Amino acid sequence: MHGQLTKFKSALTLLMLLPGSPCIYYGTEVAMAGGADPDNRRCMNWQPDEQEQQVRQFVTRLIKFRRQQADFLATSQLTWTIDGHCLILTRTDVEQTIQGRFNLGAQAVSTVSGVSPILTAGITANEMAPGGFELTVA
């Protein structure tokens, strides 16, 4: 998964915005590789390298966000839209809006201006790379 960390982070973020209880398998927090049976999941790496530590920090922030927003995510209205090559998932109630914007295309797209994202991956110079995302709360 190390070659696809941006997409990995996007997929986990999308999972955390969806209804229901997200399921994270052991080793996911450090982007541990796996494959077809019998290589579904290797033995846990108890000494992750620097990149794996950064992934773990990202996953920790994402889980913290999910816990802080648990009531909102359980009761808010969910809508999906497609804007060009971006999937936009919006959760709304009368008090706040949480929006995940995910670039599903093969080209970079512009980021949303005027709103500071709380989590991102694949964002540079006001562009979202293919597979990138931005998560905002308003």
Side-chain angles (χ1 to χ4, degrees), residues 23-130:
C23 179
I24 298 177
Y25 199 63
Y26 85 92
T28 299
E29 71 276 13
V30 292
M32 197 163 98
D37 192 21
D39 193 30
N40 311 40
R41 195 56 74 146
R42 299 173 185 145
C43 294
M44 184 64 178
N45 175 9
W46 295 109
Q47 298 189 359
D49 64 25
E50 185 177 336
Q51 186 175 29
E52 292 165 336
Q53 289 284 1
Q54 290 173 356
V55 171
R56 185 176 182 170
Q57 291 170 359
F58 173 83
V59 172
T60 299
R61 288 180 58 206
L62 192 56
I63 291 170
K64 182 178 179 182
F65 163 79
R66 173 73 186 202
R67 285 182 176 164
Q68 290 171 340
Q69 297 292 338
D71 291 339
F72 171 81
L73 292 170
T75 60
S76 60
Q77 180 181 356
L78 169 65
T79 58
W80 301 78
T81 56
I82 300 290
D83 180 14
H85 293 286
C86 286
L87 166 67
I88 302 169
L89 185 145
T90 306
R91 305 293 301 254
T92 312
D93 71 6
V94 295
E95 296 180 13
Q96 79 174 353
T97 298
I98 294 177
Q99 186 174 82
R101 191 165 171 260
F102 303 87
N103 183 359
L104 305 179
Q107 303 294 322
V109 297
S110 297
T111 59
V112 175
S113 60
V115 180
S116 296
I118 61 166
L119 281 174
T120 66
I123 304 288
T124 55
N126 298 323
E127 285 193 335
M128 185 186 326

